[in-house]
Amino acid sequence: MPNTTQPSVGLFVTCLVDLFRPNVGFSAVKLLEDAGCRVSVPAAQTCCGQPAFNSGDRADARAIAEGVIKAFEPFDYVVAPSGSCAGMMKSHYGELFRGDASWASRVGAFTAKTYELVSFLTDVLGIAEVDARFPGTVTYHDSCSGLRELGIQKQPRKLLGSVEGLTIAEMQDPDVCCGFGGTFCVKYPDISNAIVERKTADIETTGAKTLLAGDLGCLMNMAGKLKREGSHVEVRHVAEVLAGMADGPAIGEKR
Amino acid sequence: MHLTSPQFKSNVDHALHDAQLQKALGNVRAGFIDKRAKAAAALPEFEALRDNARDIKDHTLAHLDLYLEAYEKRVTESGGHVHFAETAKDACAIISSICKSVGAKTVTKGKSMIAEEIGLNDFLEADGLTTVETDLGEYIIQLRHEGPSHIIAPAVHLNKEQVEADFRRVHKDLPGDRDLSEPASLLSEARAVLREKFLAADVGITGANFLIAETGTSVIVTNEGNGDLTQILPKVHIVIASVEKITPTLNDASQILRLLARSATGQDMSVYTTFSTGPRRPGDVDGPEQYHVVILDNGRSSMLGTEFEDMLRCIRCGACMNHCPIYHSVGGHAYGWVYPGPMGAVLTPTLVGVDKSGHLPNASTFCGRCESVCPMRIPLPKMMRHWREREFERNLSPATVRWGLSVWSFFARRPKLYQFSTGLAMRALGAFGRAKGRFSFLPLAGGWTKYRDFPAPEGATFQQQWKAKRGAA
Ligand code: SF4
């Protein structure tokens, strides 16, 4: 018998987590369940539509958004382990349906209940600490959409502060873009490289052994660069550390 | 300025390999950001001022015709002349004919981005006039026959040694063994050279930060005081400004002024803020005999009422480029025209056509830092996205991008098919990548693997594993 006082959460896995790093999805499920949520993963989800939206293809972005909204209607909340996808859904879906009265209330309800994972834990559920251990020094990169569209900055640091054995060494510019930018990094690889080079230099200067962030796109970009540079810094999604599920190989490490 | 935006990619390549430029860009990254942050933090009402400034401009743009009329009336009452120029060419022709009407030979100029936009110097020089830039940065790039690389710091792409070399090359009559090792010595040398030019000039041309409808006043802000000498000493003062510089009242302008220098350089105010209203009146100790204002449209009125209208709030503070990771990487010239950085990525396509400058709004990670510091709260990434939409509608996006996107969208709209195919693909990719955990080369991902390894997937997708563990939702 499901406990009806528990909030029901539809997990929006995000396409990158689904394809490249399912462990982040399972970490998110654990964190949400530990916090007392009932978690479901609707099968009818693929991507939030951001690649189409940011490429100027509104028609496809809107069609994808309609699918997402429908798939998540049964839940109290929609939670994504990504500031970028959550930002797309929360801050931009409204624009895709502007002037369409038949969708207005559904879109409004959807955007109001959509959150990024870590800020959902702290700001909505009031979680102040997690039960996890991760010995060592980490540095945290503020991914752009989460930081500037959703105001995520203190929340991950607060929860990381409760992880046993973990210390944070801040970068000089943790809030500067890593150069990923979705399709940007393959459309303008030379500029993207110049930006990520400054980022990895900043990361190395902290002396941290582990780099964390809340968005897999940025993490894959920075991990890819660090590995190419021969760095020993390990790269993980913040949810993996918070859930105590960071014992497997880091991003880009052999299995 | 010669348009090279269509060659954005080769401009970028050039910029990334230019060691002098890269060194200078280090100064941009270090110079502006902390100062702005401190200035903003020191003013408790800073965020409220931003809201207010946005509202002032929005109100003005909604009633632009009324305020333009009121402004013209006031200028005329104070003895000045207002000229409306629809195009860049019209503006140049108006200015040139004013210069000719007084038999001018030498023209001094304060810093003006509009003059850059309309190519004023080249036009006047072709008409036989000598133009002298009096802002230090503009003076330097004029010596080098370059365009500005930044809207408030036109020579920010240069290092001190390069400027020293230019001064030694051009100021031949000065002693060769003089000491020019300090920025201050460069500044005083430029001042000495320019002093003679100020006195010789027949016409002084300045831009304007505001045109105040209430009083018919033009306002300039500078840190060098060169603008004041440009507009006071010659017998004719010509102001060149674009339509959106209209501001209803002195009070409105003062509010926006509180944001301008703080956002630009982190100063509370620029060193000089100068208000000019009409020509010299009887009894005035100084001032020009004639006062002209040339108001340029150049496509701006067609932005009104469109998704690009917000861009007309821009006060040209430069904060967006100072905080832009793309600008930090390639500098201003790579953008290929007068306006670089995020504001240029939005404005340039309106002024020269998106078919010629389509790279600009695409070369952005949408990190949003520009919008977060823009004093006028201009949603720059959103407007770059609007340009991408226009390109997409007009089939201007590259064929490979469109093809990739349509294949991806086809699958993304069909969850069952998507999960089936990605499941297969990730298993294969995961199996290949297992040994090393990453790929140093991947077909179709050359843009990524040229500089980075590509992290291999775990293997089975989340959806596959979830189904196996918990069954379908
Ligand atoms: S867009 Fe905003 S930040 Fe950029 S120059 Fe204009 S006012 Fe300044």
Side-chain angles (χ1 to χ4, degrees):
Chain A
M1 263 287 282
N3 176 352
T4 46
T5 60
Q6 290 180 304
S8 70
V9 170
L11 181 69
F12 186 85
V13 184
T14 81
C15 53
L16 290 178
V17 167
D18 178 41
L19 303 184
F20 289 95
R21 199 139 174 104
N23 189 49
V24 175
F26 287 107
S27 303
V29 171
K30 175 166 190 300
L31 286 165
L32 290 166
E33 288 183 340
D34 286 356
C37 302
R38 277 179 296 136
V39 180
S40 310
V41 182
Q45 59 173 306
T46 58
C47 166
C48 63
Q50 188 172 173
F53 184 58
N54 282 349
S55 302
D57 176 3
R58 276 183 100 107
D60 276 318
R62 154 110 188 208
I64 292 166
E66 286 180 14
V68 173
I69 292 171
K70 283 183 199 151
F72 285 87
E73 243 150 20
F75 308 104
D76 297 336
Y77 295 103
V78 185
V79 174
S82 155
S84 173
C85 310
M88 172 69 200
M89 298 189 289
K90 195 173 184 69
S91 310
H92 297 295
Y93 271 17
E95 198 184 326
L96 287 172
F97 293 86
R98 181 157 306 143
D100 187 342
S102 62
W103 275 87
S105 65
R106 294 173 80 177
V107 177
F110 176 85
T111 55
K113 68 180 187 181
T114 298
Y115 292 91
E116 178 276 339
L117 172 67
V118 179
S119 52
F120 177 73
L121 293 171
T122 56
D123 302 353
V124 178
L125 301 180
I127 304 287
E129 53 191 40
V130 292
D131 181 19
R133 213 184 114 68
F134 190 83
T137 307
V138 307
T139 193
Y140 183 84
H141 165 73
D142 296 288
S143 289
C144 299
S145 310
L147 174 68
R148 299 195 184 86
E149 288 179 358
L150 304 173
I152 300 166
Q153 189 166 32
K154 294 203 180 85
Q155 301 92 325
R157 290 176 171 82
K158 176 172 169 186
L159 292 189
L160 285 170
S162 73
V163 172
E164 197 189 323
L166 182 148
T167 339
I168 302 182
E170 293 287 356
M171 285 178 249
Q172 189 189 324
D173 296 312
D175 59 341
V176 167
C177 180
C178 73
F180 172 61
T183 55
F184 169 84
C185 70
V186 286
K187 282 195 291 185
Y188 299 96
D190 302 340
I191 309 178
S192 175
N193 179 54
I195 302 174
V196 73
E197 269 181 355
R198 289 197 291 274
K199 189 50 112 176
T200 53
D202 200 356
I203 294 165
E204 295 282 5
T205 309
T206 64
K209 296 252 169 351
T210 305
L211 166 70
L212 303 176
D215 267 281
L216 196 52
C218 315
L219 287 164
M220 288 173 71
N221 176 44
M222 294 182 288
K225 188 67 196 176
L226 285 163
K227 294 301 120 182
R228 179 64 60 91
E229 291 172 336
S231 165
H232 295 297
V233 173
E234 295 200 336
V235 181
R236 295 178 192 278
H237 192 285
V238 64
E240 298 177 293
V241 170
L242 295 178
M245 291 169 65
D247 36 10
I251 297 169
E253 299 293 347
K254 65 170 174 283
R255 319 201 64 78
Chain B
M1 198 170 156
H2 174 60
L3 178 76
T4 66
S5 305
Q7 297 99 56
F8 178 74
K9 284 207 163 185
S10 65
N11 294 350
V12 163
D13 190 48
H14 191 261
L16 288 170
H17 292 99
D18 181 340
Q20 288 277 12
L21 172 66
Q22 290 300 324
K23 187 175 157 214
L25 288 171
N27 303 335
V28 177
R29 291 195 296 272
F32 291 106
I33 295 172
D34 287 351
K35 287 186 191 143
R36 178 211 166 265
K38 282 201 187 97
L43 192 67
E45 65 268 39
F46 192 77
E47 295 305 314
L49 275 173
R50 289 173 72 185
D51 291 337
N52 214 11
R54 175 198 55 211
D55 296 346
I56 289 171
K57 276 283 180 187
D58 280 346
H59 165 86
T60 316
L61 292 169
H63 304 95
L64 195 58
D65 47 345
L66 294 178
Y67 286 116
L68 276 168
E69 248 177 68
Y71 173 76
E72 184 188 16
K73 191 159 168 273
R74 291 282 173 249
V75 174
T76 314
E77 281 168 8
S78 63
H81 306 273
V82 174
H83 313 258
F84 290 97
E86 201 177 318
T87 65
K89 232 174 145 187
D90 294 346
C92 288
I94 292 167
I95 293 172
S96 177
S97 74
I98 299 171
C99 292
K100 279 183 198 146
S101 72
V102 294
K105 292 196 181 57
T106 304
V107 173
T108 44
K109 283 185 63 225
K111 184 175 146 29
S112 156
M113 288 308 297
I114 298 298
E116 298 285 353
E117 176 182 326
I118 64 177
L120 183 61
N121 286 10
D122 287 347
F123 192 98
L124 295 180
E125 302 262 343
D127 272 0
L129 287 146
T130 305
T131 59
V132 183
E133 293 290 349
T134 64
D135 170 86
L136 179 62
E138 287 285 341
Y139 177 70
I140 293 166
I141 60 169
Q142 189 182 30
L143 296 183
R144 298 172 61 90
H145 307 286
E146 286 179 339
S149 67
H150 190 287
I151 60 173
I152 67 159
V156 78
H157 58 289
L158 299 171
N159 296 293
K160 202 178 70 222
E161 299 71 30
Q162 292 167 285
V163 178
E164 176 176 349
D166 287 321
F167 278 19
R168 292 197 187 281
R169 172 173 60 80
V170 179
H171 304 158
K172 283 225 165 54
D173 44 342
L174 296 171
D177 59 353
R178 67 197 189 280
D179 180 16
L180 287 178
S181 55
E182 291 302 314
S185 48
L186 291 168
L187 180 63
S188 61
E189 175 160 322
R191 283 216 164 122
V193 172
L194 286 169
R195 195 161 301 134
E196 296 160 33
K197 314 271 186 191
F198 280 125
L199 295 170
D202 310 295
V203 174
I205 301 177
T206 67
N209 293 88
F210 305 94
L211 301 176
I212 298 173
E214 181 185 34
T215 55
T217 303
S218 58
V219 183
I220 57 168
V221 301
T222 72
N223 278 325
E224 297 164 18
N226 63 301
D228 295 12
L229 297 177
T230 303
Q231 65 184 34
I232 287 170
L233 294 177
K235 50 183 182 283
V236 179
H237 175 199
I238 305 175
V239 178
I240 168 81
S242 48
V243 291
E244 80 278 12
K245 290 288 176 292
I246 291 282
T247 311
T249 65
L250 282 168
N251 188 24
D252 294 331
S254 325
Q255 300 214 37
I256 301 175
L257 275 169
R258 299 186 69 200
L259 290 168
L260 178 56
R262 287 183 168 90
S263 302
T265 53
Q267 295 163 283
D268 290 350
M269 285 287 275
S270 303
V271 179
Y272 299 88
T273 302
T274 309
F275 294 70
S276 317
T277 313
R280 176 199 298 229
R281 293 161 304 183
D284 281 356
V285 288
D286 56 18
E289 289 160 25
Q290 291 184 30
Y291 175 82
H292 296 268
V293 185
V294 180
I295 300 183
L296 176 75
D297 185 351
N298 212 17
R300 286 168 174 80
S301 54
S302 69
M303 293 161 74
L304 290 169
T306 72
E307 64 265 55
F308 299 109
E309 178 174 314
D310 290 347
M311 195 60 221
L312 294 173
R313 293 202 299 264
C314 176
I315 54 172
R316 305 290 189 267
C317 71
C320 53
M321 57 200 73
N322 293 342
H323 290 76
C324 175
I326 315 297
Y327 184 94
H328 288 167
S329 303
V330 301
H333 286 155
Y335 291 79
W337 204 52
V338 278
Y339 299 113
M343 58 81 69
V346 176
L347 195 59
T348 304
T350 9
L351 299 178
V352 307
V354 73
D355 49 332
K356 297 194 196 70
S357 53
H359 277 299
L360 273 45
N362 278 286
S364 164
T365 64
F366 283 164
C367 78
R369 210 174 176 206
C370 50
E371 182 177 355
S372 75
V373 296
C374 173
M376 307 307 288
R377 297 208 192 280
I378 299 172
L380 293 151
K382 181 172 152 189
M383 283 187 292
M384 287 182 227
R385 193 183 295 110
H386 285 320
W387 277 122
R388 297 183 189 185
E389 284 160 9
R390 295 254 179 125
E391 288 183 284
F392 191 83
E393 282 160 17
R394 288 174 53 191
N395 271 325
L396 292 172
S397 347
T400 45
V401 172
R402 300 180 72 87
W403 180 80
L405 198 61
S406 67
V407 171
W408 170 86
S409 301
F410 177 84
F411 283 97
R413 293 167 66 163
R414 294 168 176 78
K416 284 212 176 83
L417 184 62
Y418 174 94
Q419 273 148 24
F420 175 72
S421 3
T422 53
L424 289 180
M426 290 307 121
R427 263 193 208 288
L429 206 56
F432 279 121
R434 182 145 310 166
K436 214 175 141 206
R438 54 188 183 266
F439 301 93
S440 45
F441 172 77
L442 259 192
L444 300 178
W448 180 289
T449 52
K450 182 175 172 193
Y451 296 112
R452 283 162 290 232
D453 289 351
F454 191 83
E458 286 178 20
T461 67
F462 179 86
Q463 289 283 8
Q464 287 173 324
Q465 297 185 42
W466 180 258
K467 221 181 246 172
K469 282 187 186 158
R470 308 234 185 153

